[in-house]
Amino acid sequence: MHDATRRGEMPQETTGRDAGARGGGLARVVVTALRGNMRQYGMLIALVALLAVFQVWTGGDVLLPRNVSNIINQNGYILILAVGMMIVIINGHIDLSVGSVAGFAGAAAAVMMLEHDVPWQLALFFALLIGAAIGAWQGFWIAYVGLPSFIVTLAGMLLFRGATRILLEGRTWSGLPQGFQDINQGFLPEFGPDTNYHNLTVLLGVAVCATVLIQEWRRRGQQREYDLNVLPLNLFLLKCAAIVAAVMAFSLTLASYRGAPVVLLILGGLLVLLGFVMRNSVLGRHVYALGGNRAAAELSGVKNRRVTMAVFINMGVLAALAGCVFTARTGTATTGAGNLFELEAIAAAFIGGASMSGGVGTVLGAVIGGLVLGVLDNGMQLLKIGEDWQQVIKGLVLLVAVAFDVWNKRRGLNTRA
């Protein structure tokens, strides 16, 4: 099987020209590409369909600029956790402690700022260090002692939940510096002449479009250089036009309100950095290899213990960052912060294409999965659906997503047979 197919990357040009050559039509090419990449395109299509349904159902409220901005700010910490959880699941493990770690790190940052007058930048840095130390602690028990990640992180969930209450002395801490609160509540500053749009956000959207187009063109050139099949030129141009239209529509929507939220920039940076590591680095390939077949990977020389440690340290740092983002959003540190965050992150990862057996998934998929949950939450709140029914619907969505994964895997096995 092609490496990219196993990892679950978004486009699969290798199927495009073959289908076009056989069928002689763009429609057939598109259908063949969708069938070959059902796991990845499925959730993207589901996200677009959800937006369309709620847009009609709410009378156009979902895609109002203010609401789009709210969806990003409300779900920023879950998206950060989902990215880390996706990598943990790809590696063949699970982390049940991320909610407790997020709550503990956010509480530690608040205590440093309010009790010890530590500048918020240093408090954020130390909180991330605490997250890294917690990740290393849990990674040690899993990688070097050999305990199951389920048990270790379940213990961590209880441990750091209790530690948060001890640290906060059972009370709510408020009065955080505005700079810290801007991590989640802030936006890019205004810049340039009055154009009825946030200029910096529009420029950012143009830069993203240019970067994506250059990468797409370079990748197409590399595939042709190695004599690999690529999409027909007209379909490739159509794909590029769709990407540009989507990015600019999103950018202009944000630019017509208050601009890009700070948490979106943080998330974008993580997406680029961790996406590159998982696609292009040796560490990323080793994470996929261990999740796909641990025994075979170890026999081929992959350092299981080191990779597992790196995965859990990364998860600890991201959990701490998510905790600080959540604390900044609420403006307070409470003993209840982080409750059920782990379930939201795990659900987002599976909805975004992670496989229960490991070895499959992408960082972008985790973000798409998190957005599916976020749009569901937001749409149901706008429709004033009760909390009880919201939980029922989200549970059914998770069940369908995992069932889809199982069906897709069986379909692949039957096709190869």
Side-chain angles (χ1 to χ4, degrees), residues 281-295:
S281 73
V282 174
L283 177 61
R285 287 193 287 272
H286 286 182
V287 172
Y288 278 109
L290 286 168
N293 190 323
R294 192 167 301 277

Side-chain angles (χ1 to χ4, degrees), residues 39 43 78-90 93-95 98 315 341-356 360-373 398 401-402 405:
R39 183 198 295 267
M43 284 306 116
I78 291 298
L79 296 178
I80 293 170
L81 286 176
V83 168
M85 187 64 73
M86 175 66 89
I87 296 173
V88 170
I89 293 174
I90 290 172
H93 294 287
I94 196 78
D95 193 337
V98 293
M315 184 72 257
F341 284 8
E342 55 277 347
L343 298 185
E344 297 270 355
I346 292 170
F350 281 121
I351 291 173
S355 171
M356 292 178 294
V360 174
T362 62
V363 172
L364 180 59
V367 174
I368 293 174
L371 287 175
V372 167
L373 286 176
L398 176 60
V402 176
D405 172 65

Side-chain angles (χ1 to χ4, degrees), residues 8-309:
E9 293 177 349
M10 295 297 289
Q12 290 295 303
E13 288 85 348
T14 53
T15 61
R17 199 173 67 179
D18 289 343
R22 289 194 301 270
L26 288 180
R28 191 177 181 86
V29 172
V30 173
V31 170
T32 304
L34 285 175
R35 285 178 178 172
N37 301 274
M38 188 61 73
R39 183 198 295 267
Q40 294 75 45
Y41 290 130
M43 284 306 116
L44 190 57
I45 294 171
L47 177 60
V48 174
L50 265 180
L51 284 170
V53 168
F54 281 124
Q55 177 72 358
V56 174
W57 204 350
T58 60
D61 288 347
V62 165
L63 292 181
L64 287 175
R66 179 173 183 172
N67 194 57
V68 172
S69 187
N70 283 340
I71 290 175
I72 296 169
N73 280 332
Q74 287 171 356
N75 296 280
Y77 59 95
I78 291 298
L79 296 178
I80 293 170
L81 286 176
V83 168
M85 187 64 73
M86 175 66 89
I87 296 173
V88 170
I89 293 174
I90 290 172
N91 192 227
H93 294 287
I94 196 78
D95 193 337
L96 301 178
S97 68
V98 293
S100 298
V101 175
F104 180 74
V111 170
M112 280 187 274
M113 287 182 284
L114 298 176
E115 185 76 10
H116 304 288
D117 295 325
V118 176
W120 72 265
Q121 297 92 339
L122 271 181
L124 175 62
F125 177 71
F126 287 137
L128 298 182
L129 284 183
I130 290 172
I134 293 173
W137 162 262
Q138 298 193 133
F140 167 78
W141 289 101
I142 296 166
Y144 289 94
V145 180
L147 298 183
S149 58
F150 178 85
I151 300 299
V152 172
T153 57
L154 181 62
M157 181 173 68
L158 299 173
L159 194 163
F160 296 108
R161 177 63 58 206
T164 303
R165 292 180 179 176
I166 295 170
L167 187 63
L168 294 179
E169 300 172 344
R171 59 192 177 93
T172 298
W173 295 55
S174 58
L176 300 176
Q178 188 58 46
F180 184 81
Q181 294 187 50
D182 284 344
I183 295 173
N184 191 263
Q185 300 176 13
F187 294 82
L188 274 178
E190 295 283 352
F191 175 80
D194 184 8
T195 59
N196 292 327
Y197 285 101
H198 191 275
N199 296 325
L200 214 49
T201 301
V202 176
L203 290 176
L204 188 62
V206 172
V208 170
C209 287
T211 304
V212 171
L213 291 180
I214 291 171
Q215 286 183 341
E216 287 289 329
W217 188 257
R218 287 181 59 186
R219 186 165 62 172
R220 179 181 173 86
Q222 289 171 350
Q223 289 175 330
R224 294 175 70 90
E225 185 179 340
Y226 290 109
D227 202 25
L228 297 174
N229 293 322
V230 296
L231 285 175
L233 182 60
N234 49 3
L235 190 56
F236 173 77
L237 294 176
L238 184 63
K239 173 186 168 185
C240 291
I243 293 173
V244 170
V247 172
M248 288 312 300
F250 180 65
S251 302
L252 290 174
T253 300
L254 293 178
S256 62
Y257 180 51
R258 296 178 61 185
V262 172
V263 70
L264 178 63
L265 303 181
I266 296 173
L267 190 62
L270 290 176
L271 197 60
V272 172
L273 175 63
L274 294 178
F276 176 81
V277 169
M278 294 301 289
R279 282 194 311 270
N280 302 99
S281 73
V282 174
L283 177 61
R285 287 193 287 272
H286 286 182
V287 172
Y288 278 109
L290 286 168
N293 190 323
R294 192 167 301 277
E298 287 184 303
L299 286 173
S300 63
V302 175
K303 305 295 184 186
N304 179 21
R305 292 174 175 175
R306 294 182 187 177
V307 174
T308 301
M309 281 289 289

